[in-house]
Amino acid sequence: MTFRQRRDKLRSILAGSSCIRPGSVYDAISIRIAQDLGFEIGMFGGSVASLAVLGDPDITLITLTELAEQMRRMSRAAALPVLVDADHGYGNALNVRRTVAELEVAGAAGLTIEDTLLPQAFGEAKTQLIPLAEGVGKMKAALDGRGDPSLVIMGRTGAASVSSLGDAIERARAYEATGVDALFFTGIKSRAELEAISATTRLPIVLGGAPEELSDPGLLAQLRVRIALQGHAPIAAATQAVHATLKALRDGTAPKQLQGLASSELTGRVTREAEMKARSADFLGLKR
């Protein structure tokens, strides 16, 4: 599947009438598993990018180069369309433009640009937002930076939990006016807030987490939510599994007695072993 086809797939989801749950992906193996299991799209979050690449918490230490390179590895490994959390675009509006260009050639199907002030300001523990005008400038730069018009650009705001619902709506409408393809919200605390957002905006909505009363995909679809995240459990599960396995080995458990390991069949599937053997036969003259 070409990059354009992956982006068209994401666009078809946004243009549809259903709400889907993406698979959280962070490396070549996780994206292949998500694809094999039938997820329509993958979500490459900033937090999991920081964990997978740096082993650091989500405090914006990862660089654009590192993020794009990890996306490039996943694009090579599988054809699953991926939505990338591009944080604040790694600087001002001109940096945002560069961020879009780099993630486009890395194979992202879409990306989000948010209006959070990042990195964290000196002496300020609470989350802060950039001014609305600066956010609008970033959205315009993001749109100007894409070479492939099928690449999805989403304007993202966490204003609902940082400042107010009214501010979130004002920002969303301003970003909508720039021509972005969808609106991404975090910090929505109730159905009433989502209903207010849906009533005052026009674009497809993506939710980055929501309370229990907003867990029904049918309800979300009615409120124009097309993608609803479920967090990033896979990397947490992988961390626990690696920790448990290494601890067991360190405590003296024999390798053959370890529990919860991937079977050779599953490992062969996710590493595309059969395809590699076929290529080895065709190109190296090896027996199948």
Side-chain angles (χ1 to χ4, degrees):
M1 186 185 293
T2 66
F3 289 171
R4 173 66 67 89
Q5 289 172 320
R6 300 178 198 190
R7 292 160 187 164
D8 287 344
K9 173 63 175 177
L10 176 54
R11 285 186 173 275
S12 71
I13 291 171
L14 295 174
S17 58
S18 301
C19 175
I20 66 104
R21 303 284 193 179
S24 177
V25 298
Y26 54 89
D27 65 5
I29 293 297
S30 64
I31 191 174
R32 281 180 173 171
I33 292 172
Q35 177 176 287
D36 290 351
L37 290 174
F39 280 93
E40 295 90 343
I41 62 169
M43 179 70 208
F44 185 32
S47 58
V48 297
S50 185
L51 289 169
V53 176
L54 302 177
D56 284 334
D58 187 19
I59 54 174
T60 326
L61 293 179
I62 192 171
T63 66
L64 169 59
T65 302
E66 292 166 332
L67 180 76
E69 183 55 35
Q70 192 74 348
M71 182 64 246
R72 187 173 292 108
R73 293 187 182 105
M74 290 193 288
S75 295
R76 182 199 65 81
L80 184 70
V82 175
L83 174 60
V84 181
D85 174 6
D87 286 322
H88 62 314
Y90 296 91
N92 65 21
L94 298 181
N95 297 108
V96 168
R97 194 178 186 283
R98 166 86 190 281
T99 293
V100 170
E102 292 293 338
L103 289 174
E104 179 178 308
V105 297
L111 57 91
T112 68
I113 298 294
E114 66 185 83
D115 54 14
T116 310
L117 178 62
L118 296 171
Q120 189 171 348
F122 177 80
E124 182 58 60
K126 295 182 179 180
T127 300
Q128 295 177 292
L129 303 176
I130 59 176
L132 175 57
E134 184 178 355
V136 168
K138 285 193 170 190
M139 302 309 158
K140 290 180 177 178
L143 294 168
D144 186 66
R146 68 179 172 190
D148 180 357
S150 67
L151 177 69
V152 174
I153 305 292
M154 297 185 183
R156 171 173 169 167
T157 184
S161 61
V162 176
S163 49
S164 68
L165 175 63
D167 187 30
I169 291 174
E170 181 182 9
R171 287 170 180 267
R173 295 183 67 176
Y175 301 158
E176 189 172 68
T178 67
V180 296
D181 302 300
L183 298 170
F184 189 118
F185 295 92
T186 60
I188 302 300
K189 298 181 287 295
S190 68
R191 175 174 175 171
E193 288 189 349
L194 181 57
E195 288 175 338
I197 287 170
S198 181
T200 51
T201 59
R202 297 175 291 105
L203 290 174
I205 294 171
V206 178
L207 282 187
E212 183 65 27
E213 65 176 309
L214 292 175
S215 61
D216 177 20
L219 170 63
L220 294 176
Q222 291 175 18
L223 295 173
R224 219 172 55 256
V225 177
R226 298 295 171 252
I227 301 173
L229 276 60
Q230 298 185 105
H232 300 292
I235 196 167
T239 300
Q240 177 60 42
V242 171
H243 183 278
T245 300
L246 287 174
K247 184 178 186 304
L249 290 169
R250 180 63 174 168
D251 291 344
T253 302
K256 290 184 178 181
Q257 296 177 328
L258 292 171
Q259 301 295 313
L261 303 186
S263 66
S264 57
E265 188 274 332
L266 176 58
T267 301
R269 243 189 304 132
V270 298
T271 58
R272 307 302 192 245
E273 184 178 23
E275 296 174 18
M276 203 60 68
K277 286 183 177 179
R279 293 190 188 104
S280 296
D282 291 341
F283 307 145
L284 297 176
L286 304 181
K287 292 183 180 180
R288 289 182 183 270

